[in-house]
Amino acid sequence: MSDLLFARSQMAMSLAFHIIFAVVGVGMPALMVIAEWRWLTSRDPLQLELAKRWAKGTAILFAVGAVSGTVLSFELGLLWPTFMEHAGAVIGMPFSLEGFAFFTEAIFLGIYLYAWKRIPPRAHFAAGVVVAISGALSGAFVVCANAWMNAPAGFRMVNGQVTEVDPIAAMFNAAAPSQIVHMTLASFAATGFAVAGIHAFALRRGTPHRAFHRAALQIALWVGLPAALVQPLSGDWSARSVAERQPVKLAAMEGHLKTGPAAFVIGGWPNAETLEHTGAIEIPGALSFLLRGDPTAVVQGVDAVPPDERPPLAIVHLAFQIMIGCGTVMAALSAWGGWRWWRRKRGGGSALPDDRRFLTAVVLAGPLGFIALEAGWTVTEVGRQPWIVQGILRTANAVTPMPGLVVSFVLFTALYVGLAIAVLFLLWRQIIKTGVTPTPMGLTSELPIPTPGSTASYPTP
Amino acid sequence: MSSTADVATALTWTLPHAVAGTMVLSLNAYVLLGGADFGGGVWDLFARGKDRDAQRTLIADAIGPIWEANHVWLILVVVLLFTCFPKAFAHLATELHIPITVMLVGIVLRGSAFTFRTYDSKRDHVQRRWGRIFSVASLLTPVILGVCLGAVASGAVPIRSTESLRTVTFGARFIDPWARSPFPWAVGLLTLALFAFLAASYLTVEATDDRMRDVFRRRAQQSQAALLALAVVTLLLARVENPLLFQGLTRGRTALTMHAVTTLAALTSLWALATRRFQTARMAAAAQASFIVWGWAWTQYPWMLPPDRTITELAGPRITLQLTLGALAVGTMILLPSFVYLFRVFKTREGGE
Ligand code: HDD
Ligand code: HEM
Ligand code: HEM
């Protein structure tokens, strides 16, 4: 493999790793805050316990998000110095704003996690709300920067030099709105489904803490299902935006290889040489119709550009199909849940958490959000190749001159694998394996929440 | 190579200088807050005696609630660098690829191991292993951070001409700037001593009983001694290896004033520690560290990449700098009250349970 390929792989791995924790950092605060709100309004100790339990998981994941994000901000320079040299002044703005969002998030998360007993309950709840909002904002800012790579704006390139820089125009580039909405919804959908899956699993298996897991499942579904329900609409908006600005990416995603009226291609393996599919199901005219409202409309295919400007077709198409597949299943599950909930409100049917078939479906759908998330980013990033900034700068020209990148690739791979194992191990040990025990005072976890001044979290003789 | 006339004796304020000043301010905050967290990890590693677990608990409690917030100061420095000085960022990230990578590994291991240890409340060998990773990473990372800054300050990472890029060898380009001469390593050790000294000084105030206070008082004195010794060594090395840098360090009224106030802060700290005025000792330690950071900045001024690129030359477009400073101003108005609130909640004793 070449240095370029190692650089790309390292970037892809770092981002794929970070995005999991970033999304959790957007989604989990929402769950915690809802649980705490329910505790404040009902004084149900179960909800408080839930908020604390979730906060604890979030603390672990947040720390990993913070360190992996730090790695990323350096990696932009370590791997793509030429890119940053040109792009830094143009898209630094959202990154600077993101820095402030991190600050706010980190400060109030510190307060949220460690000040349960130090500040009044309402102030504590408010701290949680600030964490949730700043988490979502920091995600939005960084997606602005990414959208700029897809729809560059706010500068002119003259003789290889960036001039007439307009950071505001760059930040509010044309691809930003659809990507931000899609990403934010994805955060709630992915987190909601994953958490719901975990608690549904406990309920299905039978647990002594039914009430606890029911309460958790309820909140997670309230966050995950609505987001998943509207996600296909937002995805359609994204697709139109891509069609307008990155027709070749769209063609690669959809497997539309030759310019002409476009069929909707399901499955299949595109051949980059012959521009033919093997094993695809095609719905003639459907893509033309989706994009233009006319089944005979001509849509640019991959063949519209020379081969050295085409992205890897198979990966992009496959990843796109995976995202769509996951998204469809999730939306269907949401529709089913919504329908059951509506019937139940009218007095029919059983409550969702008592329906074993529904629980099974939720368990199975648990990982789908995160799978769609990774697939979606693969579409966006690999689909943009060979450009790092669409139409302006090639990835190959942006890479660092540092040779031997295999070393840093191996190093970071080992680091991330180690971290992933450690996180899974810890979550298992702390959040899942330790039960909740009923006490005369209500429910408390067996584990004290660490607070400053208490030594609960550290071995003392 | 620049002549002596280039050594600045007066400060001019322009937009790029305002941003660079903000970066130094942010680095200063990182040293005072994040640096002390690293120092805490160092003392965790060196915790000795019967009450070593109590020492570690004290350290963990002091770091606990705020390490992530402290850590963002470093990110702010990086973001400001790549937004407002993109050429400098691209250049440094290329030439110092190796030490920066090592530093990143250290940052990752320290941050995650600390959190894992805190939240892994099972008291067994697994938790002790997190603790070990946390403290070793706390020891190594500051050294590498200092090495990078030292290499830049000594002018070992110059921007090369296209011609010399074609002929330069791997070793000369990517390894020599930080590995060849002892100066960057002296700065690295100095950074480590500084962080350890800050942590010990703060912990004398954080401690809840006299025995613990005495432990960290001794630690503060020891690390202050190391710090002063290393400062002398660094200065001597600069004199031998790098006359330009040495001039920056010693020439002109501002440089001498910097040395004077740093020494004054050091003496105050020693006196306050000896007489058990811990609040004063903490303030003096913070002042001393800040003077060192600003002294370094002054030595570099007006160069961003010594020996031949100034802050002004490397700055990005004006509009970007203006907007960034605007964003900083607005952000600060939100952040300052938040920080005050954070420290009020955690650093006042009466709020405890
Ligand atoms: C829970 C996650 C999730 C789900 C269920 C979906 N997506 Fe998605 N999708 C993402 C998560 C995601 C993402 C990872 O968040 C991306 C990557 C970049 C972005 O802005 O969002 C993305 C990108 C993305 C893009 C490319 C945008 C670009 O390159 O700029 C398109 C066209 C779609 N999506 C379309 C869809 C459609 C039609 C879906 C409906 C079935 C769908 N997505 C479900
Ligand atoms: C967090 C979610 C993201 C994921 C999972 C992701 C995924 C990827 C992948 C798979 C690649 C490799 C593409 C290839 O080389 O074939 C890549 C490259 C890259 N991404 Fe992203 N990306 C994400 C967000 C971002 C954001 C927000 C930015 C910048 C603002 C960004 C900047 C880059 C850069 C600079 C490269 C390297 C150059 C390139 O290959 O185009 N990415 N990313
Ligand atoms: C090139 C891409 C990226 C860079 C350079 C980057 C940088 C960072 C940094 C430095 C942090 C740590 C902040 C702290 O110390 O608290 C962080 C955390 C975070 N990032 Fe990213 N990030 C990138 C991609 C993304 C994307 C695509 C999202 C989308 C949602 C995102 C959302 C977050 C969030 C919500 C956090 C908060 C910490 C957490 O909850 O784990 N980041 N990121």
Side-chain angles (χ1 to χ4, degrees):
Chain A
M1 275 193 354
S2 66
D3 279 325
L4 173 62
L5 212 49
F6 280 117
R8 286 166 64 181
S9 310
Q10 183 179 333
M11 193 73 197
M13 182 187 59
S14 310
L15 282 158
F17 187 83
H18 177 69
I19 193 66
I20 295 176
F21 300 91
V23 157
V24 166
V26 176
M28 281 314 286
L31 294 181
M32 293 166 354
V33 165
I34 296 177
E36 193 175 2
W37 173 250
R38 299 183 74 175
W39 176 67
L40 285 176
T41 48
S42 70
R43 292 285 149 186
D44 178 356
L46 203 67
Q47 302 286 354
L48 178 63
E49 174 59 31
L50 194 53
K52 289 194 172 180
R53 209 45 101 75
W54 276 341
K56 215 167 154 182
T58 306
I60 297 174
L61 298 169
F62 185 85
V64 181
V67 293
S68 59
T70 309
V71 172
L72 275 176
S73 27
F74 281 95
E75 262 175 359
L76 286 175
L78 289 177
L79 300 175
W80 315 105
T82 315
F83 167 61
M84 288 315 284
E85 195 177 328
H86 293 300
V90 189
I91 51 155
M93 196 67 195
F95 280 112
S96 315
L97 294 172
E98 193 200 15
F100 282 102
F102 287 150
F103 254 133
T104 327
E105 189 179 5
I107 291 174
F108 285 94
L109 189 74
I111 292 173
Y112 193 87
L113 291 176
Y114 289 87
W116 286 98
K117 297 188 183 152
R118 284 170 175 249
I119 55 177
R122 284 197 178 264
H124 189 266
F125 170 74
V129 173
V130 176
V131 175
I133 293 174
S134 47
L137 272 182
S138 64
F141 286 135
V142 82
V143 170
C144 272
N146 180 266
W148 177 85
M149 295 161 63
N150 290 326
F155 67 99
R156 258 169 27 102
M157 206 71 173
V158 180
N159 299 331
Q161 290 303 314
V162 174
T163 58
E164 294 176 41
V165 170
D166 180 353
I168 304 272
M171 185 169 159
F172 296 102
N173 60 74
S178 59
Q179 271 195 259
I180 291 175
V181 169
H182 200 58
M183 179 74 230
T184 311
L185 286 172
S187 306
F188 291 127
T191 318
F193 268 71
V195 173
I198 292 170
H199 293 284
F201 181 75
L203 284 171
R204 253 196 107 257
R205 206 182 40 178
T207 157
H209 317 297
R210 273 195 80 76
F212 175 81
H213 289 293
R214 280 184 70 126
L217 180 65
Q218 228 172 17
I219 296 177
L221 289 180
W222 269 115
V223 170
L225 295 191
L229 200 58
V230 290
Q231 187 70 326
L233 293 179
S234 139
D236 181 55
W237 184 20
S238 282
R240 282 162 198 280
S241 158
V242 174
E244 198 173 318
R245 273 167 285 277
Q246 301 175 289
V248 178
K249 183 200 260 186
L250 184 92
M253 273 157 50
E254 303 280 4
H256 177 51
L257 304 177
K258 291 178 184 156
T259 306
F264 194 82
V265 180
I266 301 172
W269 194 260
N271 183 330
E273 306 277 295
T274 60
L275 293 186
E276 300 283 352
H277 278 290
T278 36
I281 305 169
E282 301 196 16
I283 310 174
L287 182 62
S288 288
F289 182 75
L290 274 178
L291 292 171
R292 306 276 150 76
D294 168 9
T296 58
V298 171
V299 176
Q300 253 189 40
V302 176
D303 62 355
V305 292
D308 75 334
E309 288 181 24
R310 296 174 195 165
L313 301 181
I315 300 180
V316 179
H317 184 57
L318 183 68
F320 187 61
Q321 303 271 308
I322 292 176
M323 171 170 61
I324 303 270
C326 294
T328 312
V329 172
M330 289 163 74
L333 187 66
S334 304
W336 180 19
W339 177 68
R340 293 287 315 268
W341 173 78
W342 182 75
R343 253 200 3 177
R344 167 91 178 154
K345 265 188 73 173
R346 307 221 144 181
S350 56
L352 282 180
D354 298 325
D355 181 336
R356 278 186 72 81
R357 270 194 314 160
F358 186 76
L359 288 183
T360 311
V362 172
V363 173
L364 293 179
L368 292 188
F370 279 97
I371 296 174
L373 183 78
E374 300 286 0
W377 276 108
T378 310
V379 172
T380 307
E381 303 290 314
V382 181
R384 193 185 56 238
Q385 299 308 312
W387 305 102
I388 191 169
V389 181
Q390 179 71 39
I392 307 253
L393 181 65
R394 279 176 187 260
T395 311
N397 298 336
V399 72
T400 178
M402 169 88 194
L405 288 178
V406 56
V407 178
S408 96
F409 174 72
V410 170
L411 189 70
F412 280 98
T413 310
L415 197 62
Y416 284 145
V417 170
L419 274 186
I421 293 174
V423 169
L424 287 176
F425 170 76
L426 268 181
L427 288 181
W428 175 252
R429 226 155 95 124
Q430 294 305 304
I431 316 288
I432 295 159
K433 213 166 115 194
T434 343
V436 185
T437 33
T439 66
M441 313 264 303
L443 286 134
T444 57
S445 56
E446 288 156 16
L447 293 165
I449 306 279
T451 47
S454 89
T455 52
S457 59
Y458 202 70
T460 34
Chain B
M1 200 69 187
S2 306
S3 68
T4 49
D6 289 341
V7 176
T9 47
L11 195 63
T12 46
W13 276 110
T14 62
L15 208 52
H17 292 120
V19 179
T22 315
M23 283 167 58
V24 179
L25 204 63
S26 185
L27 192 69
N28 192 353
Y30 183 62
V31 167
L32 293 187
L33 301 165
D37 289 350
F38 278 109
V42 174
W43 296 126
D44 182 290
L45 186 64
F46 291 128
R48 291 278 178 284
K50 276 197 305 296
D51 52 6
R52 66 165 182 265
D53 284 335
Q55 294 172 25
R56 289 185 169 147
T57 307
L58 177 67
I59 295 166
D61 285 345
I63 298 179
I66 40 189
W67 83 258
E68 272 128 337
N70 292 346
H71 175 79
V72 184
W73 292 107
L74 179 65
I75 295 166
L76 193 60
V77 176
V78 174
V79 169
L80 286 176
L81 187 65
F82 74 56
T83 308
C84 298
F85 302 96
K87 275 207 184 65
F89 176 72
H91 176 71
L92 291 176
T94 308
E95 312 291 306
L96 295 176
H97 188 109
I98 296 170
I100 292 178
T101 302
V102 176
M103 185 176 84
L104 278 181
V105 173
I107 288 177
V108 169
L109 288 180
R110 183 199 76 112
S112 44
F114 175 74
T115 308
F116 293 169
R117 185 183 71 175
T118 309
Y119 283 92
D120 195 1
S121 5
K122 298 241 168 66
R123 290 153 199 192
D124 58 11
H125 67 282
V126 183
Q127 202 193 31
R128 278 193 295 280
R129 205 169 302 150
W130 299 137
R132 180 49 59 94
I133 296 176
F134 157 66
S135 50
V136 171
S138 299
L139 187 77
L140 293 182
T141 315
V143 177
I144 306 291
L145 178 68
V147 166
C148 292
L149 294 182
V152 174
S154 68
V157 206
I159 291 190
R160 293 169 195 275
S161 64
T162 330
E163 217 141 297
S164 87
L165 275 183
R166 222 172 290 128
T167 51
V168 70
T169 61
F170 176 85
R173 181 167 183 196
F174 295 109
I175 297 185
D176 287 357
W178 49 275
R180 204 198 47 209
S181 81
F183 178 78
W185 292 90
V187 179
L189 292 178
L190 184 82
T191 313
L192 178 66
L194 181 66
F195 288 3
F197 166 63
L198 278 173
S201 304
Y202 296 177
L203 284 166
T204 57
V205 180
E206 304 269 331
T208 41
D209 64 77
D210 276 338
R211 222 155 49 94
M212 213 44 76
R213 233 165 260 137
D214 274 334
V215 169
F216 286 107
R217 174 174 159 236
R218 223 173 319 114
R219 300 265 191 253
Q221 288 165 334
Q222 290 159 349
S223 43
Q224 175 73 288
L227 183 58
L228 294 177
L230 282 165
V232 173
V233 172
T234 314
L235 211 58
L236 290 178
L237 283 174
R239 189 193 164 128
V240 179
E241 284 185 15
N242 201 315
L244 179 67
L245 177 69
F246 185 70
Q247 269 177 21
L249 282 168
T250 49
R251 272 272 188 94
R253 212 178 303 150
T254 319
L256 294 179
T257 316
M258 276 304 194
H259 287 297
V261 287
T262 313
T263 315
L264 190 69
L267 291 176
T268 312
S269 142
L270 284 173
W271 165 78
L273 286 172
T275 55
R276 314 180 64 83
R277 291 179 167 82
F278 293 120
Q279 293 281 359
T280 314
R282 175 165 71 171
M283 303 268 281
Q288 185 183 343
S290 308
F291 290 141
I292 293 177
V293 171
W294 284 97
W296 159 75
W298 176 253
T299 311
Q300 291 240 125
Y301 181 83
W303 310 113
M304 177 161 253
L305 295 178
D308 55 9
R309 285 295 196 286
T310 62
I311 296 169
T312 326
E313 281 170 332
L314 288 167
R318 214 180 150 67
I319 175 78
T320 304
L321 270 57
Q322 282 167 339
L323 284 170
T324 307
L325 279 179
L328 282 174
V330 175
T332 309
M333 280 189 278
I334 303 171
L335 274 187
L336 268 189
S338 308
F339 261 109
V340 171
Y341 186 59
L342 179 75
F343 283 94
R344 280 256 306 277
V345 169
F346 290 114
K347 296 288 165 183
T348 46
R349 283 279 152 208
E350 63 275 12
E353 41 263 75

